[in-house]
Amino acid sequence: MEISHTQAEGHTRVVATGRLDGTWSDHLAKALDELVRAGHDQLVLDMSGIVFVSSLGLRCLLTAYKRLKAVGGSFIVEQPTEAVREVLEMAGMAGMLLAAAPAAKAAAPTAPAVETFTRASVRGELHRQGTQGMRARTYGAPALLADAAFTAANNTTLDVKPDLVALGLGAFGDHYEECRERYGEFLAVAGAAAYQPGDGSRTCDTLVTEGSYVPQVQSLYGLACTGSFTQLARFEPGEGLEQVSMGALAELVLELSGADLACLVIAGESAGLAGASLRRSPTETTGSPLGFPEVRQWLSFTTEKAHLRASAVVCGVVAKSGTVPAALSPFLRPLGAGSSVEGHLHAAAFRFRALPRGNLTVTTALRPWFEHETVQDVLHLLADDREADATLESAFTRGALWIAPLTLETKP
């Protein structure tokens, strides 16, 4: 099978020739997947050169249609041969797929102008979402991790409400004793939470608000932010680059927010995640999780970038080095050697999901991920700069970045 594509007015035209059967349907599926990953969400498939379609070929077309419809895009078949048209009609798919090619979208006259930004390593478009921003509070003592000295007195219960962005060490359950052997990395956003149990199972779990049900996370320490985002940046690599580093995105957050302290949430295609997660729950035990060689039994590190080309959700707090408030200092660390930004960031990995275009709310974009997908991993993101000539750092191909300036709540 031969496949090519060209950019037309308002859509991408894909031309395929040959047989769309068990041998070649996966070939076409991969080509369509690459286009979706690259941001093409209005696809027209020219089937004038397709001489045969099997059941697997029909499945390929139906999958593409459903996938693009789910993100507000479109997938349309154009100019099928008579044999192909007959198969589509008998399969009940003709009315769904055979339609006029999409016209170019006209900008809504009342839509606000979209700002663009260009930096050496990242570029994109900026959408305004509000003016309120967020308030952050810290709880617990991260220093207790060094001796695995957490007890019931260190536990805090968090309600996973839609306006909460939180991360730290936690577990799902009703109280400390129920969670004692399972504390691990967690994050919460958009009324949902995901965590990696520290019980050796390596099986992630999720909780999602539903109606009047508000799930809870039992947490030993962490950061909790509430409020609303003020900006959404749709980003991609700068000219000539293939990815955007986590450090570059953190710097962009502080620049665009105009603040020394900010909350961020990223949803995008991973170019590889680097970080660590607990293998064991750090509660009332002996030994030092951070000592050597015990650290090998306590922590799991990525020795190379993980979850390449998966989708990832990142939640965290970043601050300009030298301006970090004393209450935040135990929670933040530099984002790599020589970085001017400190942060605390957790990531949840999913199978790839495309994002709709435009000005999305974090809830609209991310709730379907937590409701319909399985979380593959939850990591505390770290930049590994032990090698003098290289830093292992998380990066992204493209995505959405929600930003809010932060005000730190002080304890009375």
Side-chain angles (χ1 to χ4, degrees):
M1 173 178 285
E2 294 184 4
I3 302 172
S4 62
H5 72 273
T6 55
Q7 193 63 36
E9 187 177 2
H11 65 276
T12 302
R13 185 178 182 83
V14 182
V15 179
T17 59
R19 291 172 59 90
L20 187 54
D21 55 15
T23 301
W24 292 107
S25 60
D26 188 55
H27 186 60
L28 177 60
K30 289 180 179 178
L32 297 176
D33 177 74
E34 291 299 324
L35 289 172
V36 174
R37 286 176 180 269
H40 302 276
D41 60 4
Q42 307 289 330
L43 300 183
V44 174
L45 177 63
D46 184 333
M47 298 188 72
S48 60
I50 297 294
V51 298
F52 175 80
V53 177
S54 71
S55 294
L56 288 178
L58 291 175
R59 183 189 301 174
C60 170
L61 300 179
L62 183 60
T63 298
Y65 173 83
K66 290 182 176 179
R67 183 178 183 185
L68 285 163
K69 183 179 180 181
V71 296
S74 66
F75 178 74
I76 292 171
V77 168
E78 189 177 72
Q79 300 186 59
T81 61
E82 286 302 317
V84 170
R85 178 185 292 272
E86 184 177 351
V87 172
L88 293 175
E89 289 175 348
M90 288 190 295
M93 296 170 59
M96 180 190 309
L97 296 177
L98 299 181
K105 290 185 176 179
T110 57
V114 176
E115 302 174 49
T116 60
F117 59 89
T118 302
R119 306 291 184 273
S121 60
V122 59
R123 61 186 177 182
E125 59 184 37
L126 187 65
H127 302 266
R128 303 293 175 177
Q129 294 204 326
T131 58
Q132 179 181 346
M134 289 189 171
R135 298 183 66 84
R137 66 182 177 92
T138 65
Y139 59 89
L144 294 177
L145 180 61
D147 297 310
F150 296 103
T151 68
N154 305 115
N155 188 73
T156 296
T157 300
L158 295 177
D159 291 331
V160 184
K161 296 181 178 180
D163 67 342
L164 174 72
V165 177
L167 65 158
L169 285 187
F172 295 168
D174 294 330
H175 49 75
Y176 171 84
E177 287 300 329
E178 183 182 345
C179 299
R180 178 176 170 180
E181 303 302 323
R182 296 184 290 108
Y183 284 98
E185 277 75 22
F186 85 93
L187 61 80
V189 62
Y195 102 109
Q196 178 81 262
D199 58 3
S201 67
R202 307 301 298 167
T203 302
C204 296
D205 206 351
T206 56
L207 289 172
V208 182
T209 57
E210 189 66 44
S212 61
Y213 168 65
V214 179
Q216 294 182 328
V217 175
Q218 307 302 324
S219 183
L220 298 176
Y221 71 78
L223 300 165
C225 308
T226 54
S228 59
F229 292 99
T230 59
Q231 297 165 300
L232 165 63
R234 305 300 297 259
F235 68 87
E236 61 182 30
E239 185 71 30
L241 301 178
E242 296 182 352
Q243 60 187 38
V244 186
S245 71
M246 186 66 247
L249 290 176
E251 292 175 0
L252 181 69
V253 165
L254 294 175
E255 178 187 343
L256 293 178
S257 69
D260 292 337
L261 180 65
C263 175
L264 66 85
V265 171
I266 299 171
E269 182 182 0
S270 163
L273 303 178
S277 59
L278 277 173
R279 295 178 183 269
R280 298 164 59 183
S281 183
T283 52
E284 296 183 286
T285 186
T286 58
S288 174
L290 305 183
F292 187 84
E294 293 89 349
V295 68
R296 294 177 175 176
Q297 283 73 50
W298 278 93
L299 290 173
S300 175
F301 291 93
T302 53
T303 55
E304 58 184 22
K305 287 186 177 181
H307 306 293
L308 183 65
R309 309 200 76 199
S311 284
V313 173
V314 177
C315 299
V317 170
V318 293
K320 290 183 180 179
S321 297
T323 68
V324 179
L328 266 181
S329 185
F331 295 85
L332 308 187
R333 59 175 293 162
L335 298 181
S339 175
S340 63
V341 180
E342 298 183 26
H344 191 144
L345 304 163
H346 283 192
F350 299 79
R351 75 179 181 93
F352 177 76
R353 286 185 66 108
L355 284 168
R357 292 184 183 182
N359 192 0
L360 301 171
T361 68
V362 70
T363 300
T364 299
L366 297 186
R367 278 296 291 265
W369 294 23
F370 288 95
E371 290 175 339
H372 305 303
E373 299 291 344
T374 299
V375 176
Q376 300 171 352
D377 200 1
V378 179
L379 291 170
H380 180 166
L381 297 187
L382 300 169
D384 187 350
D385 53 15
R386 290 174 295 177
E387 297 292 335
D389 59 344
T391 298
L392 186 67
E393 185 179 6
S394 301
F396 294 85
T397 303
R398 60 183 50 80
L401 169 62
W402 289 270
I403 303 167
L406 275 180
T407 300
L408 184 62
E409 295 180 355
T410 56
K411 297 178 181 179

